[in-house]
Amino acid sequence: MKKILEVKDLCKTYVVNKRQNNVLRNVNFTIADGEMVAVMGSSGSGKSTLLYSVSGMDNITAGEVSFCGKNITLLSQKELAGLRLDEMGFIFQQMYMLKNLTVLDNIILPACQSKKNTASRKEKIQSGQDLMRKLGIIDIADNDINEVSGGQLQRACICRSMINRPSMIFADEPTGALNRATSDEVMDELTKINNEGTAIMLVTHDVKVAAKCTRILYLVDGNIEGEYTLDKYTSETGLRERERSLNNWLMEMGW
């Protein structure tokens, strides 16, 4: 399979009061087209820092990050912003939406900002509506963001992340603010997107979420200490066994 993301000897160091804090140390991994990879580890292990570093949202101290064949560490801020807009989708625990726009307008905003997406505004609106219909939220298209539930808003964030047809989606605790039922629904949508071919890298502390991924990277003090591989998740059948085997492995890793 084609490599979407390749990380070599990545290091991230913060200097606080003249003292170095090595958050990430010589991290190496790849993510191929169509993979769904979870990053797990205890609080402070560097999970979110890793996601922000490999997606170009945060500068790295040393190493190399290649995304779709481009070394993002060599790109200008303008080039990097364009790459994030056109080839990456982002979903966060906090659902950042502009309050002065409707849900649909928030979803199509990246398409309107993209130079790669040359569709007309009418076509972009249609694409946004198609995504909303696919995720079952077309009825809230004209609502303000404070008029919808958290689950609906997170589905809207998924739609927004997909509007420019990215090569990969980065998600930081995408279900962290949701109840179990809504979390399951959101993960079902992400697995559908993944099964259709979009690579996903997500940070999570939830075993039930990670069990729907194809690979789990376990971080300890900024290092990948272990890796666990699962078959492609396609249905609820066998999910409990996936959760059980993953949980056993995590316990062995010191979870």
Side-chain angles (χ1 to χ4, degrees), residues 7-168:
V7 179
K8 297 179 180 178
D9 298 326
L10 186 152
C11 296
K12 177 64 181 179
T13 301
Y14 293 104
V15 178
V16 181
N17 296 327
K18 298 183 179 180
R19 296 183 62 181
Q20 286 191 349
N21 180 14
N22 299 313
V23 183
L24 300 172
R25 294 179 288 182
N26 299 315
V27 175
N28 293 273
F29 68 94
T30 62
I31 296 179
D33 195 23
E35 275 198 288
M36 187 168 179
V37 178
V39 181
M40 303 188 76
S42 60
S43 179
S45 59
K47 302 185 298 296
S48 293
T49 300
L50 178 61
L51 185 138
Y52 297 149
S53 296
V54 301
S55 62
M57 290 193 291
D58 198 359
N59 294 326
I60 67 174
T61 304
E64 182 178 325
V65 178
S66 176
F67 185 86
C68 291
K70 295 181 179 179
N71 185 350
I72 68 171
T73 59
L74 301 179
L75 300 180
S76 67
Q77 287 301 311
K78 184 177 181 180
E79 290 171 329
L80 192 53
L83 183 68
R84 286 197 300 262
L85 180 64
D86 294 335
E87 299 295 341
M88 301 178 185
F90 294 92
I91 307 167
F92 303 98
Q93 179 176 350
Q94 299 300 321
M95 305 159 208
Y96 301 107
M97 292 271 188
L98 296 179
K99 295 180 180 179
N100 60 324
L101 297 180
T102 65
V103 174
L104 176 58
D105 285 340
N106 267 287
I107 288 170
I108 67 170
L109 183 60
C112 296
Q113 295 173 324
S114 172
K115 291 182 180 179
K116 169 192 164 187
N117 192 332
T118 57
S120 67
R121 179 171 176 81
K122 183 178 180 180
E123 290 170 330
K124 290 171 182 175
I125 290 172
Q126 184 63 55
S127 294
Q129 291 172 334
D130 289 344
L131 284 167
M132 294 187 78
R133 194 171 289 109
K134 187 176 180 180
L135 270 71
I137 55 170
I138 188 61
D139 56 319
I140 64 165
D142 296 325
N143 287 40
D144 292 334
I145 63 169
N146 59 355
E147 297 175 333
V148 300
S149 70
Q152 289 173 321
L153 202 56
Q154 194 61 300
R155 286 190 189 89
C157 290
I158 295 173
C159 292
R160 181 179 60 184
S161 76
M162 290 295 297
I163 194 68
N164 284 333
R165 298 180 181 178
S167 299
M168 187 168 180

Side-chain angles (χ1 to χ4, degrees), residues 1-5 31-35 167 194 197-199 232:
M1 290 189 293
K2 183 179 70 173
K3 292 178 182 177
I4 298 294
L5 179 67
I31 296 179
D33 195 23
E35 275 198 288
S167 299
N194 177 245
T198 303
K232 197 82 167 176

Side-chain angles (χ1 to χ4, degrees), residues 31 35-41 47 50 171 187 200-207 209-219 226-228 246 249:
I31 296 179
E35 275 198 288
M36 187 168 179
V37 178
V39 181
M40 303 188 76
K47 302 185 298 296
L50 178 61
M187 278 307 298
I200 297 175
M201 176 181 176
L202 64 88
V203 168
T204 185
H205 66 278
D206 192 331
V207 176
V209 168
K212 294 182 179 180
C213 297
T214 52
R215 190 153 52 102
I216 295 87
L217 305 178
Y218 191 80
L219 258 62
E227 184 174 314
Y228 192 74
L246 174 57
W249 177 77

Side-chain angles (χ1 to χ4, degrees), residues 186-203:
V186 167
M187 278 307 298
D188 285 344
E189 297 301 340
L190 286 176
T191 53
K192 286 177 187 176
I193 290 167
N194 177 245
N195 288 332
E196 290 168 1
T198 303
I200 297 175
M201 176 181 176
L202 64 88
V203 168

